[in-house]
Amino acid sequence: MEYLEFRNVGKAFPGVVALDGVSFTARAGKVVALLGENGAGKSTLLKILSADIKADTGKVVLSGKELSFSSTAQAINAGISVIYQERQLIPAMSVMENVFIGELPVKNGLVDFNRLFLDTKAIIDKFGLPIDPEATVMSLPVAYQQMVEIMKAYRRDCLVIAFDEPTAPLTDTEIDILFNIIRQLKEAGKIIIYVSHRIREIFQITDEIAVLKDGRLVKTLTTPETDQQELISAMVGRDIGDTYASLDRNGEPGSVVLEVDNLCTDAVDNVSFTLRAGEIVGFAGLVGAGRTEVARAIFGADRILSGEIRLGGGSVRFKTPRDAIKAGIALCPEDRKEQGLVLWASIRDNICMPVLHKLKKLIFLDGAAQDRLTQAAVEKYSIRTPSLWKRALELSGGNQQKVILGRWTSDEVATRVLILDEPTKGIDIGTKAEIYQLVCDFAKRGVGVIFISSELTEVINVADRIIVMHNGHITGEVARQDATEEKVLSLAMLS
Ligand SMILES: Nc1ncnc2c1ncn2[C@@H]1O[C@H](COP(=O)(O)OP(=O)(O)OP(=O)(O)O)[C@@H](O)[C@H]1O
Ligand SMILES: [Mg+2]
């Protein structure tokens, strides 16, 4: 039987041992989960598999044959496909061209579009997807773009397919579609590696689990024979208890701090709600429901067509995010790469960015104050880094997310309204619990918090009230005491 073996794989970056003698085997027809805290080395292992980076020690063996590639293209040709969150598609080209890229069918010296269409349609139908082969990739929702990548791997008959946090941008329905496909790949005898921070998914889709901690393989488990507690303590090294029940919450919210009245933008229609000081209001909904757009409009990032926003009783309309920040609104954006982080700047510069004007001593910046602020954020969010000067692009995905949170939640930023858009995306389960508590701490200090999340369990357990959106409208509101996943989901899918 075909198998993929990591044998004593090691990799160091300046100041960090990312992988330290990792050995395990993945077998055909099985899904192996790779689990571990932020910075544990999961993505690094996949990057070695796809020949994005080279291991310092050890080897990767496919059914007895040692793999040695000098480029990712060679790895793909040898049947290894790693699907990252950053799409490797050509957005302006059609689905069928992307699926068959590099091997477009040719007839009489020209691309045979008829065959291309039919061959692509056959794969789409096999997976039961509602995708038009001729649609351009950029016109598709993120979830389907990911499916296009899987179809590409399938078309190339890749034996090994690895997924790095594939469900982070997906909603529950889309996750079901993905899991159906993974099950089909499994039945077809593929070797599948699956990285995710969502424990529930690990139990739904995987057969075996390899747990990494600080670059070392600490445990391998058979999924049906383990449980959540065992997994978490292997991963975190301690028991974290019942995350939600143990939250120290703000008992009583204060007066209304933010009122939104009949807000209309290009993406949202007649949205009205209020937010009290010290209150956490959750926003639930499917991807594309308009939650991010509401946040952006309040923050002065998107154009408002009509409606009114009142902050502390006074009518406001911010022309730019800078004005919103000055008035005490902070927004942690969903897309850390596009809107949040300056990848080539240091952790310290990224974290201190909004408060630099306050850290001026005469005309120079107060370096010690910047260090203090950054160090505090690094500790608060357990950001895994050897130094404050490391560039953001050298951090693992989850640690980048923590830098963004650190930026907007430092004590120096005088925030009245804090908007968090998918704040725990890509964050490991131990740190998630800490972030929920930090959110509650903000509420206790009197900050009004808007908490946007696609993880239903999280939003209904952390927020005091949950506002549900569908298609640019608010379709309902539920108090935490009455909230169930079914209730929120049925409002989110309302048409
Ligand atoms: N290009 C790089 N340069 C320097 N350090 C790096 C680089 N890539 C990764 N690292 C470091 O290697 C370690 C492992 O990172 P990796 O991305 O593999 O973690 P991960 O398990 O995927 O974490 P996450 O759950 O946050 O995605 C981290 O400490 C990270 O900062
Ligand atoms: Mg990663």
Side-chain angles (χ1 to χ4, degrees):
M1 202 209 283
E2 311 267 21
Y3 66 92
L4 176 76
E5 187 188 352
F6 293 92
R7 221 180 270 169
N8 204 24
V9 175
K11 175 77 193 175
F13 292 110
V16 192
V17 178
L19 292 171
D20 186 1
V22 170
S23 304
F24 73 90
T25 302
R27 278 167 242 285
K30 298 260 188 247
V31 182
V32 180
L34 212 51
L35 197 68
E37 291 180 293
N38 296 131
K42 305 174 298 289
S43 297
T44 303
L45 197 64
L46 296 191
K47 284 180 191 153
I48 288 173
L49 175 65
S50 66
D52 255 330
I53 56 176
K54 257 190 140 40
D56 299 337
T57 63
K59 44 180 128 173
V60 186
V61 176
L62 185 58
S63 305
K65 223 174 84 205
E66 181 176 344
L67 301 180
S68 142
F69 307 123
S70 45
S71 70
T72 50
Q74 282 184 7
I76 290 171
N77 287 333
I80 292 173
S81 168
V82 178
I83 296 173
Y84 296 103
Q85 260 181 42
E86 295 79 33
R87 303 275 87 89
Q88 283 139 9
L89 298 167
I90 304 171
M93 294 215 310
S94 68
V95 169
M96 55 190 194
E97 285 164 314
N98 270 284
V99 170
F100 279 87
I101 195 157
E103 272 172 58
L104 293 172
V106 177
K107 198 164 136 190
N108 306 329
L110 295 172
V111 174
D112 182 353
F113 279 103
N114 233 340
R115 245 214 45 229
L116 182 61
F117 182 90
L118 292 173
D119 289 354
T120 309
K121 188 92 178 61
I123 303 178
I124 290 174
D125 290 345
K126 178 172 165 38
F127 291 131
L129 298 171
I131 298 179
D132 172 5
E134 286 177 309
T136 53
V137 161
M138 65 187 168
S139 72
L140 298 178
V142 192
Y144 290 143
Q145 294 187 9
Q146 189 178 55
M147 306 301 164
V148 173
E149 254 188 299
I150 302 173
M151 292 194 284
K152 204 165 108 184
Y154 180 82
R155 191 273 297 170
R156 288 174 162 148
D157 201 22
C158 286
L159 174 60
V160 179
I161 304 179
F163 296 89
D164 197 354
E165 297 188 51
T167 55
L170 308 187
T171 54
D172 288 5
T173 357
E174 297 163 335
I175 292 172
D176 286 344
I177 302 177
L178 174 69
F179 282 5
N180 272 330
I181 295 185
I182 292 182
R183 284 191 195 102
Q184 293 190 42
L185 294 171
K186 196 175 128 167
E187 273 159 33
K190 308 286 182 195
I191 300 168
I192 299 162
I193 301 182
Y194 186 87
V195 176
S196 174
H197 286 294
R198 302 184 177 175
I199 303 284
R200 187 163 61 163
E201 295 175 0
I202 303 283
F203 282 101
Q204 276 178 306
I205 197 73
T206 75
D207 303 290
E208 282 154 20
I209 305 162
V211 184
L212 287 179
K213 186 166 174 54
D214 300 332
R216 260 179 240 128
L217 183 83
V218 290
K219 213 166 210 175
T220 49
L221 298 154
T222 310
T223 311
E225 288 166 17
T226 183
D227 59 23
Q228 185 161 334
Q229 280 312 319
E230 187 181 21
L231 269 191
I232 293 173
S233 53
M235 203 174 120
V236 185
R238 67 194 147 87
D239 212 340
I240 59 167
D242 184 342
T243 316
Y244 300 118
S246 51
L247 282 181
D248 178 12
R249 302 174 193 267
N250 179 26
E252 49 209 284
S255 51
V256 171
V257 56
L258 180 77
E259 290 168 272
V260 174
D261 255 341
N262 292 314
L263 178 74
C264 294
T265 72
D266 287 332
V268 304
D269 198 21
N270 268 310
V271 163
S272 304
F273 68 96
T274 59
L275 172 70
R276 294 177 175 280
E279 187 184 34
I280 305 171
V281 170
F283 271 73
L286 304 183
V287 169
R291 298 165 301 163
T292 296
E293 287 73 13
V294 169
R296 288 176 53 88
I298 296 172
F299 194 56
D302 281 353
R303 199 162 59 104
I304 295 175
L305 300 176
S306 64
E308 193 183 359
I309 298 172
R310 287 186 295 277
L311 183 67
S315 185
V316 290
R317 188 173 290 194
F318 304 117
K319 287 209 182 66
T320 63
R322 188 190 299 245
D323 297 338
I325 294 166
K326 270 198 203 130
I329 298 187
L331 169 72
C332 286
E334 166 186 33
D335 190 328
R336 56 185 172 243
K337 300 246 170 65
E338 271 172 26
Q339 302 171 24
L341 219 53
V342 183
L343 283 173
W344 38 265
S346 69
I347 298 177
R348 184 173 176 267
D349 288 345
N350 269 293
I351 287 181
C352 297
M353 197 171 288
V355 291
L356 283 180
H357 60 282
K358 286 195 193 161
L359 302 178
K360 264 198 197 127
K361 250 190 190 169
L362 297 174
I363 54 166
F364 299 106
L365 284 172
D366 183 348
Q370 288 188 61
D371 286 349
R372 250 194 329 275
L373 202 75
T374 312
Q375 188 58 42
V378 165
E379 280 165 25
K380 192 148 106 182
Y381 292 103
S382 24
I383 298 174
R384 197 188 132 117
T385 174
S387 104
L388 308 181
W389 294 99
K390 217 167 159 112
R391 288 183 300 167
L393 63 90
E394 293 171 287
L395 293 178
S396 76
N399 282 304
Q400 290 179 350
Q401 181 74 7
K402 295 176 190 175
V403 169
I404 302 239
L405 280 170
R407 171 193 294 172
W408 292 114
T409 56
S410 83
D411 299 337
E412 302 284 327
V413 186
T415 307
R416 298 164 81 185
V417 173
L418 173 65
I419 309 175
L420 302 168
D421 196 354
E422 307 284 2
T424 65
K425 191 157 101 182
I427 299 243
D428 67 62
I429 187 153
T431 313
K432 263 186 190 167
E434 287 161 29
I435 289 176
Y436 301 148
Q437 187 53 56
L438 285 166
V439 171
C440 291
D441 291 347
F442 270 98
K444 283 169 76 182
R445 292 214 308 260
V447 176
V449 182
I450 294 178
F451 185 84
I452 304 174
S453 168
S454 294
E455 259 193 83
L456 270 183
T457 334
E458 159 180 296
V459 72
I460 66 177
N461 282 291
V462 173
D464 300 312
R465 286 188 285 136
I466 301 100
I467 291 175
V468 191
M469 289 191 69
H470 174 90
N471 219 352
H473 297 269
I474 290 181
T475 49
E477 186 183 315
V478 200
R480 184 177 61 244
Q481 294 80 352
D482 311 323
T484 59
E485 299 201 3
E486 293 72 42
K487 227 183 242 179
V488 172
L489 201 59
S490 68
L491 287 169
M493 312 229 288
L494 213 71
S495 40

PDB file of all heavy atoms in Angstrom, residues 305-332:
ATOM      1  N   LEU A 305     -24.133  55.229   1.925  1.00  0.00           N
ATOM      2  CA  LEU A 305     -25.094  55.848   1.010  1.00  0.00           C
ATOM      3  C   LEU A 305     -26.146  56.633   1.776  1.00  0.00           C
ATOM      4  O   LEU A 305     -26.487  57.751   1.416  1.00  0.00           O
ATOM      5  CB  LEU A 305     -25.764  54.785   0.130  1.00  0.00           C
ATOM      6  CG  LEU A 305     -24.811  53.976  -0.759  1.00  0.00           C
ATOM      7  CD1 LEU A 305     -25.558  52.894  -1.523  1.00  0.00           C
ATOM      8  CD2 LEU A 305     -24.079  54.905  -1.728  1.00  0.00           C
ATOM      9  N   SER A 306     -26.669  56.026   2.843  1.00  0.00           N
ATOM     10  CA  SER A 306     -27.616  56.749   3.689  1.00  0.00           C
ATOM     11  C   SER A 306     -27.638  56.126   5.070  1.00  0.00           C
ATOM     12  O   SER A 306     -27.088  55.047   5.280  1.00  0.00           O
ATOM     13  CB  SER A 306     -29.017  56.723   3.066  1.00  0.00           C
ATOM     14  OG  SER A 306     -29.478  55.388   3.016  1.00  0.00           O
ATOM     15  N   GLY A 307     -28.308  56.806   5.993  1.00  0.00           N
ATOM     16  CA  GLY A 307     -28.371  56.306   7.360  1.00  0.00           C
ATOM     17  C   GLY A 307     -27.547  57.157   8.295  1.00  0.00           C
ATOM     18  O   GLY A 307     -26.858  58.080   7.857  1.00  0.00           O
ATOM     19  N   GLU A 308     -27.649  56.857   9.578  1.00  0.00           N
ATOM     20  CA  GLU A 308     -26.955  57.670  10.563  1.00  0.00           C
ATOM     21  C   GLU A 308     -26.211  56.807  11.575  1.00  0.00           C
ATOM     22  O   GLU A 308     -26.677  55.732  11.956  1.00  0.00           O
ATOM     23  CB  GLU A 308     -27.970  58.551  11.296  1.00  0.00           C
ATOM     24  CG  GLU A 308     -27.274  59.627  12.097  1.00  0.00           C
ATOM     25  CD  GLU A 308     -28.231  60.502  12.900  1.00  0.00           C
ATOM     26  OE1 GLU A 308     -29.453  60.292  12.831  1.00  0.00           O
ATOM     27  OE2 GLU A 308     -27.715  61.378  13.622  1.00  0.00           O
ATOM     28  N   ILE A 309     -25.030  57.287  11.985  1.00  0.00           N
ATOM     29  CA  ILE A 309     -24.275  56.611  13.036  1.00  0.00           C
ATOM     30  C   ILE A 309     -24.060  57.612  14.157  1.00  0.00           C
ATOM     31  O   ILE A 309     -23.639  58.752  13.905  1.00  0.00           O
ATOM     32  CB  ILE A 309     -22.902  56.134  12.503  1.00  0.00           C
ATOM     33  CG1 ILE A 309     -23.114  55.121  11.374  1.00  0.00           C
ATOM     34  CG2 ILE A 309     -22.071  55.507  13.619  1.00  0.00           C
ATOM     35  CD1 ILE A 309     -21.836  54.738  10.663  1.00  0.00           C
ATOM     36  N   ARG A 310     -24.410  57.226  15.379  1.00  0.00           N
ATOM     37  CA  ARG A 310     -24.172  58.114  16.520  1.00  0.00           C
ATOM     38  C   ARG A 310     -23.207  57.455  17.486  1.00  0.00           C
ATOM     39  O   ARG A 310     -23.360  56.284  17.856  1.00  0.00           O
ATOM     40  CB  ARG A 310     -25.490  58.441  17.226  1.00  0.00           C
ATOM     41  CG  ARG A 310     -26.359  59.404  16.440  1.00  0.00           C
ATOM     42  CD  ARG A 310     -27.596  59.831  17.209  1.00  0.00           C
ATOM     43  NE  ARG A 310     -28.495  58.712  17.440  1.00  0.00           N
ATOM     44  CZ  ARG A 310     -29.385  58.262  16.559  1.00  0.00           C
ATOM     45  NH1 ARG A 310     -29.480  58.843  15.367  1.00  0.00           N
ATOM     46  NH2 ARG A 310     -30.158  57.246  16.839  1.00  0.00           N
ATOM     47  N   LEU A 311     -22.184  58.226  17.859  1.00  0.00           N
ATOM     48  CA  LEU A 311     -21.186  57.722  18.803  1.00  0.00           C
ATOM     49  C   LEU A 311     -21.291  58.572  20.057  1.00  0.00           C
ATOM     50  O   LEU A 311     -21.125  59.792  19.993  1.00  0.00           O
ATOM     51  CB  LEU A 311     -19.790  57.827  18.183  1.00  0.00           C
ATOM     52  CG  LEU A 311     -18.634  57.268  19.009  1.00  0.00           C
ATOM     53  CD1 LEU A 311     -18.727  55.764  19.149  1.00  0.00           C
ATOM     54  CD2 LEU A 311     -17.296  57.653  18.371  1.00  0.00           C
ATOM     55  N   GLY A 312     -21.593  57.956  21.173  1.00  0.00           N
ATOM     56  CA  GLY A 312     -21.784  58.700  22.416  1.00  0.00           C
ATOM     57  C   GLY A 312     -22.861  59.764  22.269  1.00  0.00           C
ATOM     58  O   GLY A 312     -22.761  60.853  22.835  1.00  0.00           O
ATOM     59  N   GLY A 313     -23.885  59.519  21.453  1.00  0.00           N
ATOM     60  CA  GLY A 313     -25.011  60.433  21.304  1.00  0.00           C
ATOM     61  C   GLY A 313     -24.869  61.406  20.142  1.00  0.00           C
ATOM     62  O   GLY A 313     -25.861  61.937  19.648  1.00  0.00           O
ATOM     63  N   GLY A 314     -23.628  61.672  19.697  1.00  0.00           N
ATOM     64  CA  GLY A 314     -23.429  62.644  18.626  1.00  0.00           C
ATOM     65  C   GLY A 314     -23.325  61.971  17.267  1.00  0.00           C
ATOM     66  O   GLY A 314     -22.699  60.930  17.127  1.00  0.00           O
ATOM     67  N   SER A 315     -23.957  62.599  16.284  1.00  0.00           N
ATOM     68  CA  SER A 315     -23.936  62.033  14.943  1.00  0.00           C
ATOM     69  C   SER A 315     -22.519  62.105  14.349  1.00  0.00           C
ATOM     70  O   SER A 315     -21.858  63.138  14.423  1.00  0.00           O
ATOM     71  CB  SER A 315     -24.919  62.817  14.077  1.00  0.00           C
ATOM     72  OG  SER A 315     -24.978  62.210  12.816  1.00  0.00           O
ATOM     73  N   VAL A 316     -22.045  61.004  13.791  1.00  0.00           N
ATOM     74  CA  VAL A 316     -20.701  60.993  13.185  1.00  0.00           C
ATOM     75  C   VAL A 316     -20.773  60.340  11.809  1.00  0.00           C
ATOM     76  O   VAL A 316     -21.632  59.515  11.534  1.00  0.00           O
ATOM     77  CB  VAL A 316     -19.694  60.186  14.037  1.00  0.00           C
ATOM     78  CG1 VAL A 316     -19.368  60.882  15.330  1.00  0.00           C
ATOM     79  CG2 VAL A 316     -20.190  58.773  14.295  1.00  0.00           C
ATOM     80  N   ARG A 317     -19.882  60.744  10.931  1.00  0.00           N
ATOM     81  CA  ARG A 317     -19.693  60.002   9.691  1.00  0.00           C
ATOM     82  C   ARG A 317     -18.218  60.153   9.303  1.00  0.00           C
ATOM     83  O   ARG A 317     -17.792  61.216   8.884  1.00  0.00           O
ATOM     84  CB  ARG A 317     -20.607  60.516   8.590  1.00  0.00           C
ATOM     85  CG  ARG A 317     -20.526  59.594   7.380  1.00  0.00           C
ATOM     86  CD  ARG A 317     -21.500  59.920   6.305  1.00  0.00           C
ATOM     87  NE  ARG A 317     -22.884  59.629   6.636  1.00  0.00           N
ATOM     88  CZ  ARG A 317     -23.848  59.605   5.719  1.00  0.00           C
ATOM     89  NH1 ARG A 317     -23.575  59.844   4.458  1.00  0.00           N
ATOM     90  NH2 ARG A 317     -25.087  59.351   6.084  1.00  0.00           N
ATOM     91  N   PHE A 318     -17.460  59.097   9.512  1.00  0.00           N
ATOM     92  CA  PHE A 318     -16.026  59.200   9.301  1.00  0.00           C
ATOM     93  C   PHE A 318     -15.679  59.056   7.827  1.00  0.00           C
ATOM     94  O   PHE A 318     -16.159  58.158   7.158  1.00  0.00           O
ATOM     95  CB  PHE A 318     -15.301  58.140  10.118  1.00  0.00           C
ATOM     96  CG  PHE A 318     -15.640  58.213  11.581  1.00  0.00           C
ATOM     97  CD1 PHE A 318     -16.285  57.161  12.210  1.00  0.00           C
ATOM     98  CD2 PHE A 318     -15.338  59.353  12.309  1.00  0.00           C
ATOM     99  CE1 PHE A 318     -16.620  57.239  13.551  1.00  0.00           C
ATOM    100  CE2 PHE A 318     -15.672  59.451  13.653  1.00  0.00           C
ATOM    101  CZ  PHE A 318     -16.312  58.391  14.273  1.00  0.00           C
ATOM    102  N   LYS A 319     -14.823  59.988   7.359  1.00  0.00           N
ATOM    103  CA  LYS A 319     -14.425  59.916   5.956  1.00  0.00           C
ATOM    104  C   LYS A 319     -13.324  58.888   5.765  1.00  0.00           C
ATOM    105  O   LYS A 319     -13.211  58.281   4.715  1.00  0.00           O
ATOM    106  CB  LYS A 319     -13.931  61.296   5.509  1.00  0.00           C
ATOM    107  CG  LYS A 319     -15.056  62.279   5.352  1.00  0.00           C
ATOM    108  CD  LYS A 319     -14.698  63.320   4.279  1.00  0.00           C
ATOM    109  CE  LYS A 319     -15.794  64.343   4.151  1.00  0.00           C
ATOM    110  NZ  LYS A 319     -15.922  65.163   5.405  1.00  0.00           N
ATOM    111  N   THR A 320     -12.474  58.734   6.807  1.00  0.00           N
ATOM    112  CA  THR A 320     -11.382  57.767   6.702  1.00  0.00           C
ATOM    113  C   THR A 320     -11.262  57.033   8.027  1.00  0.00           C
ATOM    114  O   THR A 320     -11.693  57.532   9.065  1.00  0.00           O
ATOM    115  CB  THR A 320     -10.025  58.484   6.464  1.00  0.00           C
ATOM    116  OG1 THR A 320      -9.765  59.295   7.615  1.00  0.00           O
ATOM    117  CG2 THR A 320     -10.030  59.335   5.225  1.00  0.00           C
ATOM    118  N   PRO A 321     -10.636  55.845   7.998  1.00  0.00           N
ATOM    119  CA  PRO A 321     -10.387  55.117   9.241  1.00  0.00           C
ATOM    120  C   PRO A 321      -9.616  55.958  10.251  1.00  0.00           C
ATOM    121  O   PRO A 321      -9.823  55.843  11.447  1.00  0.00           O
ATOM    122  CB  PRO A 321      -9.569  53.919   8.781  1.00  0.00           C
ATOM    123  CG  PRO A 321     -10.015  53.679   7.381  1.00  0.00           C
ATOM    124  CD  PRO A 321     -10.276  55.045   6.812  1.00  0.00           C
ATOM    125  N   ARG A 322      -8.746  56.841   9.765  1.00  0.00           N
ATOM    126  CA  ARG A 322      -7.968  57.675  10.681  1.00  0.00           C
ATOM    127  C   ARG A 322      -8.883  58.502  11.593  1.00  0.00           C
ATOM    128  O   ARG A 322      -8.660  58.613  12.794  1.00  0.00           O
ATOM    129  CB  ARG A 322      -7.059  58.598   9.859  1.00  0.00           C
ATOM    130  CG  ARG A 322      -6.066  59.365  10.683  1.00  0.00           C
ATOM    131  CD  ARG A 322      -5.403  60.399   9.814  1.00  0.00           C
ATOM    132  NE  ARG A 322      -4.698  59.730   8.711  1.00  0.00           N
ATOM    133  CZ  ARG A 322      -3.380  59.758   8.573  1.00  0.00           C
ATOM    134  NH1 ARG A 322      -2.655  60.405   9.442  1.00  0.00           N
ATOM    135  NH2 ARG A 322      -2.804  59.156   7.568  1.00  0.00           N
ATOM    136  N   ASP A 323      -9.959  59.051  10.992  1.00  0.00           N
ATOM    137  CA  ASP A 323     -10.911  59.831  11.788  1.00  0.00           C
ATOM    138  C   ASP A 323     -11.622  58.935  12.805  1.00  0.00           C
ATOM    139  O   ASP A 323     -11.872  59.337  13.940  1.00  0.00           O
ATOM    140  CB  ASP A 323     -11.970  60.483  10.896  1.00  0.00           C
ATOM    141  CG  ASP A 323     -11.343  61.475   9.925  1.00  0.00           C
ATOM    142  OD1 ASP A 323     -10.224  61.945  10.217  1.00  0.00           O
ATOM    143  OD2 ASP A 323     -11.959  61.754   8.873  1.00  0.00           O
ATOM    144  N   ALA A 324     -11.956  57.728  12.370  1.00  0.00           N
ATOM    145  CA  ALA A 324     -12.652  56.796  13.266  1.00  0.00           C
ATOM    146  C   ALA A 324     -11.757  56.432  14.448  1.00  0.00           C
ATOM    147  O   ALA A 324     -12.198  56.397  15.598  1.00  0.00           O
ATOM    148  CB  ALA A 324     -13.056  55.541  12.498  1.00  0.00           C
ATOM    149  N   ILE A 325     -10.475  56.200  14.165  1.00  0.00           N
ATOM    150  CA  ILE A 325      -9.532  55.843  15.229  1.00  0.00           C
ATOM    151  C   ILE A 325      -9.424  56.987  16.237  1.00  0.00           C
ATOM    152  O   ILE A 325      -9.457  56.780  17.442  1.00  0.00           O
ATOM    153  CB  ILE A 325      -8.147  55.503  14.635  1.00  0.00           C
ATOM    154  CG1 ILE A 325      -8.230  54.227  13.786  1.00  0.00           C
ATOM    155  CG2 ILE A 325      -7.101  55.341  15.733  1.00  0.00           C
ATOM    156  CD1 ILE A 325      -7.028  53.995  12.894  1.00  0.00           C
ATOM    157  N   LYS A 326      -9.354  58.231  15.713  1.00  0.00           N
ATOM    158  CA  LYS A 326      -9.253  59.395  16.595  1.00  0.00           C
ATOM    159  C   LYS A 326     -10.455  59.487  17.527  1.00  0.00           C
ATOM    160  O   LYS A 326     -10.349  59.897  18.668  1.00  0.00           O
ATOM    161  CB  LYS A 326      -9.171  60.684  15.760  1.00  0.00           C
ATOM    162  CG  LYS A 326      -7.756  61.069  15.433  1.00  0.00           C
ATOM    163  CD  LYS A 326      -7.701  62.526  15.007  1.00  0.00           C
ATOM    164  CE  LYS A 326      -6.459  62.762  14.170  1.00  0.00           C
ATOM    165  NZ  LYS A 326      -6.763  63.455  12.906  1.00  0.00           N
ATOM    166  N   ALA A 327     -11.628  59.097  17.014  1.00  0.00           N
ATOM    167  CA  ALA A 327     -12.850  59.178  17.822  1.00  0.00           C
ATOM    168  C   ALA A 327     -12.996  57.994  18.771  1.00  0.00           C
ATOM    169  O   ALA A 327     -13.955  57.929  19.531  1.00  0.00           O
ATOM    170  CB  ALA A 327     -14.059  59.273  16.898  1.00  0.00           C
ATOM    171  N   GLY A 328     -12.058  57.044  18.694  1.00  0.00           N
ATOM    172  CA  GLY A 328     -12.088  55.939  19.651  1.00  0.00           C
ATOM    173  C   GLY A 328     -12.673  54.641  19.124  1.00  0.00           C
ATOM    174  O   GLY A 328     -13.120  53.794  19.887  1.00  0.00           O
ATOM    175  N   ILE A 329     -12.666  54.472  17.797  1.00  0.00           N
ATOM    176  CA  ILE A 329     -13.138  53.200  17.244  1.00  0.00           C
ATOM    177  C   ILE A 329     -11.924  52.421  16.739  1.00  0.00           C
ATOM    178  O   ILE A 329     -11.064  52.964  16.055  1.00  0.00           O
ATOM    179  CB  ILE A 329     -14.132  53.429  16.086  1.00  0.00           C
ATOM    180  CG1 ILE A 329     -15.355  54.182  16.622  1.00  0.00           C
ATOM    181  CG2 ILE A 329     -14.548  52.102  15.460  1.00  0.00           C
ATOM    182  CD1 ILE A 329     -16.472  54.328  15.640  1.00  0.00           C
ATOM    183  N   ALA A 330     -11.831  51.165  17.110  1.00  0.00           N
ATOM    184  CA  ALA A 330     -10.733  50.336  16.624  1.00  0.00           C
ATOM    185  C   ALA A 330     -11.314  49.151  15.868  1.00  0.00           C
ATOM    186  O   ALA A 330     -12.344  48.602  16.249  1.00  0.00           O
ATOM    187  CB  ALA A 330      -9.882  49.843  17.790  1.00  0.00           C
ATOM    188  N   LEU A 331     -10.669  48.784  14.778  1.00  0.00           N
ATOM    189  CA  LEU A 331     -11.145  47.640  13.989  1.00  0.00           C
ATOM    190  C   LEU A 331      -9.991  46.666  13.736  1.00  0.00           C
ATOM    191  O   LEU A 331      -8.979  47.038  13.150  1.00  0.00           O
ATOM    192  CB  LEU A 331     -11.704  48.117  12.636  1.00  0.00           C
ATOM    193  CG  LEU A 331     -12.010  47.038  11.593  1.00  0.00           C
ATOM    194  CD1 LEU A 331     -13.242  46.236  11.969  1.00  0.00           C
ATOM    195  CD2 LEU A 331     -12.217  47.652  10.213  1.00  0.00           C
ATOM    196  N   CYS A 332     -10.134  45.452  14.218  1.00  0.00           N
ATOM    197  CA  CYS A 332      -9.182  44.397  13.865  1.00  0.00           C
ATOM    198  C   CYS A 332      -9.731  43.697  12.646  1.00  0.00           C
ATOM    199  O   CYS A 332     -10.736  43.002  12.740  1.00  0.00           O
ATOM    200  CB  CYS A 332      -9.077  43.343  14.968  1.00  0.00           C
ATOM    201  SG  CYS A 332      -8.183  43.881  16.376  1.00  0.00           S
TER     202      CYS A 332
END
